[in-house]
Amino acid sequence: MTSLADIRSTFLDFYKRQGHAVVSSSPLVPRNDPTLMFTNSGMVQFKNLFTGVETRDYSRATTAQKCVRAGGKHNDLDNVGYTARHHTFFEMMGNFSFGDYFKEEAIRYSWELLTREFGLNPDKLLVTVFHTDDEAADLWKKIAGLPDERIIRIATSDNFWMMGPTGPCGPCSEVFYDHGPEIWGGPPGSPEEDGDRFIEIWNIVFMQYEQFEDGTRRDLDQQSIDTGMGLERIGALLQGKHDNYDTDLMRSLIEASAHATSSDPDGDGKVHHRVVADHLRSTSFLIADGVMPSNEGRGYVLRRIMRRAMRHAHQLGAQDPLMHRLVPALVQEMGAAYPELGQARALIEETLRAEETRFRQTLDRGLRLLDDELSGLPEGAALPGQAAFKLYDTYGFPLDLTQDALREKGRTVDTEGFDAAMAEQKAKARAAWAGSGEVADATHWYDLADQHGATEFLGYDTEEAEGQI
Ligand code: ATP
Ligand code: MG
Ligand code: MG
Ligand code: MG
């Protein structure tokens, strides 16, 4: 079986042979972009090369980039455990041209890699192009010999990439693999496209234009290429699996979770094991890159992922903190490719252990409260916002954790009620302060408390945490 480690090096070696510099992954906390929560694609570390602000001694590069999509524009937290193809942490492999080659070579390289190096069956592949991009459609026909019906024209933003409101932008072309009619889902552009039958494996962006503030565009002097292929997705294909979580690496983590909880990896707890394995990766890599759990910004996203994982561990019957015990399995699987994991191992274990020990003090009671609340409600009714707020405020349950717990039971939260309860508590705190006779600017104090967390559990709700960065 080709391991994910082998696939990673096959990809990098292939592009190295085509003259690309092999560049290391950048950290998950972007150095050059305070507006971005976490590095969420391969191009992040190269932004300044695409805009021409910076030049380096190479004009082509290839990477396997650590990515986290658990906040901000790309948030796959709610997909984990539910789809075959999403993780919160994954590796995006890519090749980049900075004003060097363009569409033709990009398509040629990717087709050669997929069908010759990786040996995928060309009949199972289909591609999308932006609806006006005849050039790309013609190239796929010429190079790959794809028939028209497997070159799908898409008119939405899915196939038009923009770096931001202004700056480099252009059409993109994506490669999909058809896993066959036994699996639910439809081709890209169809109403069932979110299913897992047709799985997107590669996004190839053609940076062709520059967009200005007034919405006009001009051709870039330096046309560039930016691509991203999920290692776990191509890994599943090459290991003859449909599901990313059945690849060698994810499977080892799932088995470690099953072993540590003396449970069946494929039994009733299957989804919990998948979430635990996924969140183990994102939390450990974030800690290794210097993020610590806190009540604001990046640290609060980390805390939310950790606590979600801890509830799933609890559902597996873990009597003691679980997550930190799985770190050795992760280091074993990924430590060679990412030495920072081994270096930070003690810090990761201690941070996970301390957070889980603390959260377990309220987790049990919170879950009991949740069950009591639900049993008093009519069938299918949403959990009242007050109850979700109490779980948040008193038991340290981020709103998304409560929603995640309810989703398993087919229930939801009254989020408007939750927001109202939050607003009411803030108003009360302000009034209490104002009534205390202090001359300090109460609003100012409250704002500070808001930013830094007045109490252990008074954190941001999802939107505030994300809006802030
Ligand atoms: P999807 O439509 O399946 O959510 P996407 O369009 O959001 O994927 P892109 O932003 O185009 O993905 O990222 C490029 C590639 O990175 C994808 O083609 C896929 O192979 C991989 N990828 C994206 N998100 C994830 C994820 N959450 N987990 C694993 N791989 C991912
Ligand atoms: Mg996505
Ligand atoms: Mg997509
Ligand atoms: Mg895509």
Side-chain angles (χ1 to χ4, degrees):
M1 185 175 66
T2 331
S3 67
L4 293 205
D6 292 340
I7 297 169
R8 191 194 295 115
S9 49
T10 301
F11 185 99
L12 297 174
D13 287 348
F14 174 81
Y15 280 102
K16 191 176 170 190
R17 288 202 304 276
Q18 324 297 333
H20 293 61
V22 180
V23 177
S24 307
S25 172
S26 63
L28 286 168
V29 176
R31 287 201 192 102
N32 56 355
D33 191 346
T35 64
L36 187 64
M37 183 163 298
F38 300 123
T39 300
N40 58 16
S41 71
M43 62 76 61
V44 169
Q45 67 165 319
F46 298 119
K47 270 190 180 175
N48 288 342
L49 276 81
F50 289 119
T51 53
V53 170
E54 188 192 334
T55 51
R56 296 195 191 155
D57 56 6
Y58 50 79
S59 59
R60 329 177 145 197
T62 182
T63 60
Q65 174 67 49
K66 302 183 278 190
C67 292
V68 166
R69 293 192 173 183
K73 198 172 95 185
H74 289 288
N75 186 352
D76 285 327
L77 252 182
D78 289 331
N79 288 324
V80 174
Y82 290 91
T83 72
R85 67 187 199 277
H86 289 105
H87 306 282
T88 54
F89 171 93
F90 64 98
E91 289 178 75
M92 193 187 283
M93 302 186 293
N95 56 293
F96 307 91
S97 152
F98 312 108
D100 188 329
Y101 62 86
F102 200 46
K103 277 184 206 181
E104 172 144 13
E105 289 90 330
I107 290 176
R108 197 178 290 287
Y109 292 149
S110 64
W111 191 253
E112 191 179 324
L113 179 65
L114 289 173
T115 57
R116 287 215 212 120
E117 295 280 321
F118 287 150
L120 291 180
N121 178 354
D123 296 340
K124 302 263 188 180
L125 297 171
L126 58 161
V127 301
T128 59
V129 296
F130 192 54
H131 65 137
T132 54
D133 194 359
D134 294 332
E135 194 188 354
D138 290 347
L139 284 166
W140 280 116
K141 208 169 183 168
K142 181 178 110 182
I143 293 166
L146 288 176
D148 288 338
E149 64 274 16
R150 284 197 280 134
I151 303 175
I152 301 172
R153 288 172 184 260
I154 303 279
T156 64
S157 60
D158 266 0
N159 281 73
F160 196 89
W161 180 88
M162 303 181 79
M163 191 180 279
T166 59
C169 60
C172 62
S173 189
E174 297 193 314
V175 183
F176 287 74
Y177 186 87
D178 180 3
H179 282 271
E182 313 79 63
I183 294 157
W184 183 82
S190 74
E192 298 87 26
E193 68 175 346
D194 283 339
D196 278 329
R197 172 174 168 181
F198 293 86
I199 289 198
E200 176 189 325
I201 50 176
W202 207 342
N203 187 349
I204 302 167
V205 178
F206 311 119
M207 281 186 213
Q208 197 164 351
Y209 312 109
E210 177 173 14
Q211 167 130 340
F212 299 98
E213 225 146 280
D214 62 4
T216 58
R217 286 178 193 155
R218 71 169 184 102
D219 283 349
L220 279 170
D221 301 331
Q222 277 214 349
Q223 300 188 317
S224 293
I225 292 292
D226 154 31
T227 87
M229 169 157 67
L231 173 61
E232 298 78 0
R233 292 194 190 179
I234 184 76
L237 286 184
L238 298 181
Q239 294 182 3
K241 311 286 186 199
H242 164 249
D243 192 315
N244 283 11
Y245 290 83
D246 289 332
T247 54
D248 60 319
L249 198 164
M250 296 308 294
R251 194 64 201 172
S252 303
L253 302 181
I254 287 171
E255 270 157 19
S257 165
H259 181 73
T261 51
S262 311
S263 58
D264 176 358
D266 303 306
D268 292 346
K270 187 174 169 188
V271 168
H272 302 305
H273 289 302
R274 291 161 70 107
V275 177
V276 164
D278 173 83
H279 291 9
L280 172 71
R281 294 212 306 169
S282 50
T283 56
S284 301
F285 272 96
L286 284 171
I287 296 166
D289 277 350
V291 184
M292 292 301 279
S294 78
N295 283 337
E296 62 166 352
R298 296 190 173 101
Y300 191 56
V301 177
L302 171 61
R303 172 162 280 167
R304 282 167 43 212
I305 307 172
M306 288 168 105
R307 291 190 175 185
R308 273 173 91 116
M310 288 161 190
R311 189 192 65 84
H312 286 276
H314 180 277
Q315 298 302 100
L316 288 167
Q319 298 300 319
D320 300 302
L322 171 70
M323 297 304 288
H324 71 106
R325 291 165 55 204
L326 307 180
V327 174
L330 178 63
V331 175
Q332 165 81 27
E333 289 294 323
M334 300 192 74
Y338 295 100
E340 65 270 34
L341 269 187
Q343 282 156 8
R345 177 176 165 163
L347 176 70
I348 298 168
E349 288 177 344
E350 185 46 31
T351 308
L352 286 170
R353 198 191 56 74
E355 181 80 8
E356 195 164 357
T357 303
R358 194 159 64 150
F359 187 44
R360 287 184 70 89
Q361 292 168 5
T362 56
L363 178 62
D364 269 346
R365 280 185 291 136
L367 289 173
R368 245 177 286 134
L369 175 86
L370 184 58
D371 279 342
D372 288 350
E373 287 282 344
L374 288 179
S375 62
L377 289 176
E379 183 115 354
L383 182 76
Q386 276 292 350
F389 184 71
K390 183 163 185 196
L391 286 169
Y392 163 81
D393 196 38
T394 313
Y395 298 93
F397 282 32
L399 179 61
D400 68 285
L401 183 153
T402 305
Q403 289 171 314
D404 185 39
L406 287 170
R407 185 168 168 190
E408 285 160 19
K409 307 176 200 283
R411 303 264 196 146
T412 55
V413 178
D414 167 16
T415 48
E416 274 174 33
F418 177 87
D419 292 342
M422 170 86 85
E424 190 186 328
Q425 200 216 41
K426 286 184 180 177
K428 268 195 204 143
R430 266 192 204 103
W433 183 263
S436 71
E438 296 272 341
V439 281
D441 177 348
T443 317
H444 180 61
W445 176 85
Y446 201 84
D447 287 347
L448 278 181
D450 236 10
Q451 270 171 39
H452 300 291
T455 67
E456 187 190 347
F457 296 131
L458 181 60
Y460 285 95
D461 68 23
T462 318
E463 266 150 35
E464 278 172 318
E466 290 175 3
Q468 194 199 6
I469 314 199

